[in-house]
Amino acid sequence: MEKKQTTKGMMYAILSLSLLTVMAGAAVAPALGTLQEHFADSDSTTVQLIISMPALFIFLSSFVFPKLCDRLGSRTIVLIGLVLYVAGGCMAGIADNIAVVLVFRAIVGCGVGLIMPMSTGLLSYYYPPEKLDGLMGLSSAMNQMGGAVATFIAGILATVSWRAVFLVYLMGLISLVPVILFLPNDRITGRRSEREIEPETGKSKKKSALKEYFTYVAAMFILMSVFFIYPSNYAIEAAKDGFLNQQGIATVMALMDVVAFLGGLCYVKIRGILASNTHFVAPALFFAGYMIMAFASNAVLSIIGSFMVGFSNGAGIPCIIAAASHKAGKEAVSTVMPLLSAAMYIAQFLSPFIMSVVTKAAGNAGVAHLPFIWAAILSVILAVFAAYMKKSR
């Protein structure tokens, strides 16, 4: 189908989707303590699934998403995703059984699994390569801003009750009107990009999207594994140092989201200066930031390290997505984008488990700030994949 002429309304509709995705699970984290009290009969691991369950179903949805693209228009898919996001998110607040809460959290994950690939893939479908880097930077910035706003609102709602905190998912209504008014309902299929011709027979054969885009998918998984160590461990590690009180720690983590927002906005300028070497910005800043936090001797160094990690995440995500989009072209939305989405969220889901294995492996070695050291090691691995992406691009 021929692509329709792009408008500002279409751009706003697509970018508004980025507000909803990054904090799909962790948005209700401020109420985790009261949730634990309310579901006192459940163990802490089950209660923590309230946070991680969406990530698992975002990953599972990635396998269904390309088939939906073959059968439904893009606006229809987005609207289905928004309904699942808002309904599943809000209805968890009316449940009294934790199993029912987890079902609704799974529904949220399915909704984000449909929204996330569209929030970036439609940019590569409708906009030319020369505009793509800037739009990916804006998308990343909107991601970070949405996370900061959602956390702030959830924190306020958590003071009312744990049930009220789930109303944060009403943010999904922000996208509803622009999507209905401005987003075309083009059917975007990835079938052509998944097939190639066998030279011997002249017949088409299926081509593995994961194999073709493995470098980008692996890079996204590692990047999110590196970043997610921060929200999972910073409060605990900073409390051990004693440089900051609990209020100070919460403030630093909130400001880190703001710095990540700035990282997304600055991506296109960094790209203009460093060109293909932009791939190394996130690994380098991640490594430096975590090493500074690991050996910090005062609060200032701890804060500087935090901000470097935030900036790395804000600039690193659009770098990978833009590179993958340039390779996949307009069919990125139904090929590589679901894979990147899956990698992003399965990394969030697995990060605590991987960190647990690393801690057990370290045993009694007594490594100070082990999570930060582990993140620095992963940053080096991320730099290796950055080199592959630079060569590919």
Side-chain angles (χ1 to χ4, degrees), residues 27-32 34 89-90 149-171:
V28 296
L32 197 58
T34 53
C90 293
V149 171
T151 303
F152 176 75
I153 294 173
I156 295 174
L157 293 173
T159 63
V160 179
S161 75
W162 69 267
R163 295 184 186 277
V165 78
F166 288 98
L167 294 176
V168 72
Y169 290 97
L170 289 174
M171 284 180 62

Side-chain angles (χ1 to χ4, degrees), residues 197-230:
I197 303 300
E198 291 181 347
E200 296 86 359
T201 64
K203 297 180 179 180
S204 64
K205 64 177 182 178
K206 194 151 184 180
K207 188 177 180 180
S208 170
L210 179 59
K211 183 177 180 180
E212 184 176 2
Y213 302 110
F214 175 79
T215 298
Y216 307 97
V217 176
M220 182 63 79
F221 178 86
I222 296 170
L223 184 143
M224 288 308 300
S225 297
V226 173
F227 170 72
F228 215 68
I229 287 172
Y230 180 89

Side-chain angles (χ1 to χ4, degrees), residues 125-201:
Y125 184 80
Y126 286 114
Y127 294 90
E130 60 269 20
K131 291 186 177 181
L132 196 56
D133 284 326
L135 288 170
M136 289 301 178
L138 282 175
S139 177
S140 177
M142 297 287 279
N143 257 293
Q144 305 303 327
M145 183 173 70
V149 171
T151 303
F152 176 75
I153 294 173
I156 295 174
L157 293 173
T159 63
V160 179
S161 75
W162 69 267
R163 295 184 186 277
V165 78
F166 288 98
L167 294 176
V168 72
Y169 290 97
L170 289 174
M171 284 180 62
L173 298 178
I174 294 173
S175 298
L176 195 60
V177 173
V179 166
I180 292 174
L181 292 179
F182 303 116
L183 189 64
N185 201 31
D186 295 337
R187 185 174 297 183
I188 304 170
T189 177
R191 285 179 177 174
R192 284 178 299 172
S193 63
E194 291 178 349
R195 297 184 179 275
E196 60 182 3
I197 303 300
E198 291 181 347
E200 296 86 359
T201 64

Side-chain angles (χ1 to χ4, degrees), residues 275-348:
S276 60
N277 289 319
T278 307
H279 295 301
F280 297 105
V281 170
L285 290 182
F286 270 137
F287 181 84
Y290 278 115
M291 291 301 287
I292 288 172
M293 287 189 290
F295 298 100
S297 57
N298 54 60
V300 173
L301 289 175
S302 181
I303 293 170
I304 290 173
S306 295
F307 289 174
M308 292 177 76
V309 168
F311 191 92
S312 301
N313 188 53
I317 290 175
C319 183
I320 295 174
I321 293 177
S325 297
H326 280 295
K327 179 176 177 62
K330 69 177 185 177
E331 294 175 351
V333 66
S334 57
T335 54
V336 69
M337 289 305 160
L339 295 174
L340 293 179
S341 176
M344 185 180 297
Y345 287 100
I346 199 64
Q348 293 183 22

